[in-house]
Amino acid sequence: MNALAPRPGILDIAAYQPGNPLAGGPTKYVNLASNESALGPSPRAREAYKAAAAELHYYPDGGSTRLRRAIGAVQGLDPERIVCGAGSDELLTLLARGYAGPGDEILMSEHGFAMYPITTRSVGATPVMVPDRELTADVDGFLARVTPRTRLVFIANPNNPTGTMISADEMARLRAGLPDNVLLVVDSAYAEYVVRNDYSPGVELVDAGDNTVMTRTFSKIHGLAALRIGWAYCPPAIADVLNRLRSPFNVGTPAQEAGIAAIEDVANVDKARGHNDVWRPWFEAEVAKLGLKPFPSVANFSLVEFPADEKHSAKAAHAFMQARGILLRPVGVYGLPRCLRITIGTESEMRTLVAALAEFLA
Ligand SMILES: Cc1ncc(COP(=O)(O)O)c(C=O)c1O
């Protein structure tokens, strides 16, 4: 008798490691490990979430119709070309399922988001890593690795965990250099934090053809990570594919209602961006004063390099902070063992962290 076995490749997946607190430590953490919002969601989103409690016995609107309309209205996009998902993670997986399979290759950058290789392997395809140039996605490197097997490119812009971005012109050059039958997925999870004027989340590339998708999330600047809401802006044929593949009720009613309130509260988004614009540069400057190396970021987190000596290493810093109830993200799995990724939290969290770093280095 043959034993039951999962499909080939599934057991090659290294399961995603979330930045959750370990059991047995302090119960109250300063959590700067998961790039969540420093200030939390719009109060209106909380109210909308609570109000949805009266409707819990009904299935949600499977098409997320009002949420898509709200996103479309705020972003100036056609709601028919938007597909909502249980986090952008779900949409990334559906895109891989829709467009790649065994024998196919999916390109991603060396220090790209950890879900890309997982998603790639989950559909039986092969992840192909493209080396970064100065911790930044290298367009020429991507183009050099295209083969007849390449079906899809995942690129986060800004990238997690490096915090770097490529310009709209560079992204357009990537699209122009890829064959037409390769899907480009521009993952713009941190788009709202970017204040540089050479940046674009990718809408114009989606509009320009039929082979580029932009994904976005409510987990970052909108502060709704617990609710799992993402959205993709797609050419119509790709929206159709996603709608065929997704589960019929993939975004719950409380999530849809809170999402509508969150995206319509533009002032709250501006406030969150403003907070980040003050405290990320402040943090990077303080860290540099302590003799550590922060890589300049355009998102709501910073990648910080620690000394090579064991006593002051990233590993030692992580353990030291964890014992004090401060959670930072080790990025060894991203091939950056000397660094920690640190989310920009509240003012008091950042001051607490900087004081603890000074103590650690003393
Ligand atoms: C680059 C990037 N893409 C996608 C996601 C997933 O976000 P979501 O919560 O929408 O699934 C994250 C979350 O950290 C991310 O960093």
Side-chain angles (χ1 to χ4, degrees), residues 202-263:
V203 169
E204 71 293 346
L205 288 181
V206 179
D207 286 340
D210 57 9
N211 48 15
T212 302
V213 169
M214 169 188 75
T215 59
R216 304 285 287 267
T217 183
F218 281 80
S219 304
K220 305 301 172 187
I221 208 157
H222 297 295
L224 294 175
L227 295 185
R228 314 303 306 123
I229 323 166
W231 55 282
Y233 178 59
C234 315
I238 298 180
D240 177 51
V241 166
L242 292 177
N243 281 320
R244 287 169 199 259
L245 284 175
R246 67 178 175 79
S247 54
F249 304 107
N250 59 342
V251 185
T253 305
Q256 292 186 34
E257 294 300 329
I260 293 166
I263 200 146

Side-chain angles (χ1 to χ4, degrees), residues 16 34-35 86-90 92 113 115-116 156-160 187 189-190 215-220 225 228-230 301 341:
Y16 185 78
S34 297
N35 297 346
S88 47
D89 277 342
E90 184 195 20
L92 299 172
F113 180 41
M115 278 306 294
Y116 303 155
N157 200 34
N159 184 52
N160 169 18
D187 174 350
Y190 300 94
T215 59
R216 304 285 287 267
T217 183
F218 281 80
S219 304
K220 305 301 172 187
R228 314 303 306 123
I229 323 166
F301 56 89
R341 193 195 67 196

